Amino acid sequence: MRKNLIASVAFLLASSTAVLAQSATDGKVKIGILNDQSGVYADFGGKSSVEAAQMAVEDFGGKVLDVPVEIVNADHQNKPDIASNIARQWYDTEQVDAIMELTTSSVALAVQAIGKEKKKIDIVTGAATTDLTGKACSPYGFHWAYDTHALAVGTGGALVKQGGDSWFFLTADYAFGYSLEQQTSDYVKSSGGKVVGAVRHPLSSQDFSSFLLQAQSSGAKVIGLANAGLDTSNAIKQAAEFGITQGGQHLAALLFTLAEVHGLGLEAAQGLTLTEGYYWNRDDESRAFAKKFFARTGKMPNMVHAGTYSAVTQYLKAVQKAGTDETEAVAKQLHEMPVDDVFGRGGTVGANGRMIHDMYLLQVKKPSESKEPWDYFNVLATIPGKEAYIDPAKSGCNLVK
């Protein structure tokens, strides 16, 4: 009887250990979407990214490891200090397991540093700087939708090939703008072009006249807009007032997405060349996803929205495969698992946390070419992921052996 009792106790202990191993650490899985919901990037990601995250949870079944999945969200107002305070509160007191989206590079860098300190996962879909998977990389940090190198290779490379071999940059005065300007400059120079000058402007500028006049007087064939969101839209509108494109100079919107084209309108945006990691009207699968997203938001998704859906989905798959939401185990799975969904087809994750996937070189259609609402792009080329992104071994990340 004693032997049977010992055996029974051992069996119960083993069973309880197995149950604990296949469970969330606090009885739930909680994901935070932290982004700009009221400022210059509100259309770029904003509340629509929150909807994309919620869509991913619902499509996954609402649970993982038999516990509910909860999405929380907050507006960081493009301020790293506000974002840092929210991230610390989420991680320390609200049991948030992972933070995602993180529009604005300065914010993403700040939150990733906190995640590294606290051993918590972040997956960036809204910010662009390559530092996230370079000198500021983290074993728990992942960069999903795009980055400044991919934009430089796509838009910058296309325009140099078309004869745009002299550039002047109009650059947002923070980490994202600097990175985008540098990456594109390096690519232009390596392709035989030259950079004749640059000027920096504050985030959320209303008046670009002095900056545009400097760009116009430079005589550069291409004016590279190393900014995003409403800053890019406002610069394009004001450039038209100065007759810059009519004078023969080409505007390169280095980070411009479907959301901004819709806000600007085809009449003003026609002919612009840009690079995205997703286009809703590419094939039947992307159209089906986009129409589902449209039913919830009243808009078609850009790469940030689709990338957020992908990031949440992949995180939940990693939790499921790991059998726990414990950070080290989930991060290991995120590094090892292939990515194959409506956004990241055939994607892989490098040792530096960079998700490598194809990008698309797009040109905005003329109004007469558009066949239906939101039909805004011609796909000029597919840029293979290995060309679009920096080789992890050359990224400057100290995690890469």
Side-chain angles (χ1 to χ4, degrees), residues 361-374:
L361 181 65
L362 308 167
Q363 188 170 51
V364 180
K365 290 182 175 182
K366 298 176 182 177
S368 60
E369 295 176 318
S370 180
K371 297 176 182 177
E372 60 181 308
W374 297 90

Side-chain angles (χ1 to χ4, degrees), residues 178-261:
Y178 312 151
S179 181
L180 186 51
E181 179 189 325
Q182 181 185 341
Q183 295 283 346
T184 309
S185 295
D186 290 346
Y187 198 82
V188 167
K189 292 172 185 175
S190 69
S191 302
K194 61 181 179 180
V195 176
V196 300
V199 64
R200 290 175 176 174
H201 69 82
L203 182 66
S204 303
S205 292
Q206 298 299 314
D207 184 4
F208 286 88
S209 56
S210 64
F211 309 124
L212 288 167
L213 286 171
Q214 290 181 62
Q216 189 176 38
S217 63
S218 74
K221 293 180 183 178
V222 179
I223 300 172
L225 303 176
N227 49 21
L230 288 177
D231 281 341
T232 306
S233 297
N234 289 334
I236 291 170
K237 288 176 185 176
Q238 291 173 39
E241 295 170 8
F242 285 103
I244 286 176
T245 55
Q246 294 91 324
Q249 290 175 295
H250 190 101
L251 292 178
L254 296 171
L255 177 50
F256 210 54
T257 74
L258 185 80
E260 289 76 50
V261 171

Side-chain angles (χ1 to χ4, degrees), residues 379-400:
V379 180
L380 301 181
T382 298
I383 306 163
K386 288 185 178 180
E387 292 180 19
Y389 295 104
I390 298 171
D391 181 343
K394 299 176 182 178
S395 66
C397 173
N398 60 11
L399 301 173
V400 184

Side-chain angles (χ1 to χ4, degrees), residues 128-318:
T129 179
T130 53
D131 285 350
L132 288 161
T133 51
K135 63 183 181 182
C137 69
S138 162
Y140 318 114
F142 300 86
H143 202 177
W144 219 250
Y146 71 104
D147 65 23
T148 52
H149 187 270
L151 300 176
V153 170
T155 308
L159 291 174
V160 171
K161 288 177 184 176
Q162 293 171 12
D165 56 3
S166 62
W167 286 62
F168 184 98
F169 288 93
L170 200 158
T171 303
D173 192 13
Y174 74 104
F176 152 69
Y178 312 151
S179 181
L180 186 51
E181 179 189 325
Q182 181 185 341
Q183 295 283 346
T184 309
S185 295
D186 290 346
Y187 198 82
V188 167
K189 292 172 185 175
S190 69
S191 302
K194 61 181 179 180
V195 176
V196 300
V199 64
R200 290 175 176 174
H201 69 82
L203 182 66
S204 303
S205 292
Q206 298 299 314
D207 184 4
F208 286 88
S209 56
S210 64
F211 309 124
L212 288 167
L213 286 171
Q214 290 181 62
Q216 189 176 38
S217 63
S218 74
K221 293 180 183 178
V222 179
I223 300 172
L225 303 176
N227 49 21
L230 288 177
D231 281 341
T232 306
S233 297
N234 289 334
I236 291 170
K237 288 176 185 176
Q238 291 173 39
E241 295 170 8
F242 285 103
I244 286 176
T245 55
Q246 294 91 324
Q249 290 175 295
H250 190 101
L251 292 178
L254 296 171
L255 177 50
F256 210 54
T257 74
L258 185 80
E260 289 76 50
V261 171
H262 182 73
L264 192 58
L266 285 183
E267 190 64 43
Q270 61 183 306
L272 281 173
T273 304
L274 56 101
T275 304
E276 280 215 60
Y278 169 87
Y279 178 42
W280 77 270
N281 208 10
R282 191 174 76 241
D283 56 34
D284 288 343
E285 185 183 10
S286 58
R287 280 188 283 272
F289 168 77
K291 287 175 181 176
K292 203 172 167 185
F293 181 86
F294 184 88
R296 301 175 72 118
T297 64
K299 64 174 70 173
M300 291 299 187
N302 63 11
M303 65 179 170
V304 178
H305 306 137
T308 300
Y309 177 93
S310 171
V312 172
T313 300
Q314 193 74 358
Y315 175 78
L316 295 176
K317 287 179 181 178

Side-chain angles (χ1 to χ4, degrees), residues 56-198:
V57 171
E58 291 171 13
D59 288 349
F60 200 81
K63 290 184 176 183
V64 64
L65 305 180
D66 292 325
V67 300
V69 180
E70 182 182 353
I71 298 291
V72 295
N73 73 91
D75 182 356
H76 60 48
Q77 301 173 48
N78 295 311
K79 296 177 180 178
D81 57 337
I82 291 176
S84 296
N85 289 337
I86 293 169
R88 289 185 185 280
Q89 180 180 337
W90 278 358
Y91 285 148
D92 292 344
T93 66
E94 297 187 25
Q95 293 80 50
V96 169
D97 298 292
I99 296 178
M100 303 186 194
E101 222 269 41
L102 295 169
T103 310
T104 313
S105 292
S106 53
V107 163
L109 289 165
V111 173
Q112 181 157 291
I114 293 169
K116 186 176 182 179
E117 169 199 334
K118 296 183 175 296
K119 295 187 176 181
K120 291 286 190 176
I121 286 171
D122 70 273
I123 305 181
V124 177
T125 58
T129 179
T130 53
D131 285 350
L132 288 161
T133 51
K135 63 183 181 182
C137 69
S138 162
Y140 318 114
F142 300 86
H143 202 177
W144 219 250
Y146 71 104
D147 65 23
T148 52
H149 187 270
L151 300 176
V153 170
T155 308
L159 291 174
V160 171
K161 288 177 184 176
Q162 293 171 12
D165 56 3
S166 62
W167 286 62
F168 184 98
F169 288 93
L170 200 158
T171 303
D173 192 13
Y174 74 104
F176 152 69
Y178 312 151
S179 181
L180 186 51
E181 179 189 325
Q182 181 185 341
Q183 295 283 346
T184 309
S185 295
D186 290 346
Y187 198 82
V188 167
K189 292 172 185 175
S190 69
S191 302
K194 61 181 179 180
V195 176
V196 300

Side-chain angles (χ1 to χ4, degrees), residues 29 64-65 314-325 330:
V29 170
V64 64
L65 305 180
Q314 193 74 358
Y315 175 78
L316 295 176
K317 287 179 181 178
V319 170
Q320 186 174 59
K321 191 167 183 180
T324 176
D325 63 355
V330 176

